[in-house]
Amino acid sequence: QVHLVESGGGLVQAGGSLRLSCAASGRTFSLYAMGWFRQAPGKEREFVAAISGSGGNTYYADSMKGRFTISRDNAKNTVYLQMNSLKPEDTAVYYCALKTFAVPGTSVIEYDYWGQGTQVTVSS
């Protein structure tokens, strides 16, 4: 079983930046695709970004493209989400997730392991 732990959330003003981190257990991290999702109160969990096992391919939701960047450091078993130009509508709990396959996906049901989430609040 894989354990994922997110960190880096907090309160930031609109236009500001945050960098989220997700640390994964295990020594075969590079075999698996990773994704970031978010969930605001009263809304369904939505796709944010994903990255292939090697880090060679990345994918973003349209509303995040150009503002958010996903990356990974396989030597540290860690995936990152750099968030710039934050907007109040970005306020949500952000989750990292692991898919037991190298090719990333954009659906919640494709991912097998989830972290507990980290709160991001963007004030106007």
Side-chain angles (χ1 to χ4, degrees), residues 100-123:
T100 52
F101 196 71
V103 180
T106 60
S107 299
V108 169
I109 59 174
E110 296 182 61
Y111 290 80
D112 304 293
Y113 298 95
W114 295 82
Q116 293 84 11
T118 185
Q119 177 70 47
V120 172
T121 303
V122 184
S123 64

Side-chain angles (χ1 to χ4, degrees), residues 26-32 34 51-55 71-80:
R27 296 181 295 174
T28 56
F29 180 67
S30 63
L31 296 176
Y32 309 120
M34 296 289 295
I51 189 166
S52 61
S54 67
S71 62
R72 66 193 297 161
D73 185 342
N74 288 339
K76 294 182 177 180
N77 284 8
T78 302
V79 64
Y80 305 95

Side-chain angles (χ1 to χ4, degrees), residues 9-116:
L11 175 65
V12 65
Q13 290 187 345
S17 299
L18 284 173
R19 189 193 193 202
L20 306 183
S21 298
C22 176
S25 64
R27 296 181 295 174
T28 56
F29 180 67
S30 63
L31 296 176
Y32 309 120
M34 296 289 295
W36 285 98
F37 295 78
R38 69 185 186 186
Q39 188 165 22
K43 300 185 69 176
E44 295 181 351
R45 191 167 299 185
E46 66 173 340
F47 171 74
V48 174
I51 189 166
S52 61
S54 67
N57 294 287
T58 58
Y59 303 88
Y60 300 92
D62 288 342
S63 62
M64 266 66 76
K65 208 158 193 173
R67 299 190 298 125
F68 292 7
T69 303
I70 188 170
S71 62
R72 66 193 297 161
D73 185 342
N74 288 339
K76 294 182 177 180
N77 284 8
T78 302
V79 64
Y80 305 95
L81 183 68
Q82 178 67 47
M83 305 186 293
N84 299 324
S85 301
L86 284 164
K87 305 173 182 179
E89 52 262 44
D90 294 320
T91 295
V93 176
Y94 284 71
Y95 299 88
C96 69
L98 182 149
K99 180 180 179 180
T100 52
F101 196 71
V103 180
T106 60
S107 299
V108 169
I109 59 174
E110 296 182 61
Y111 290 80
D112 304 293
Y113 298 95
W114 295 82
Q116 293 84 11

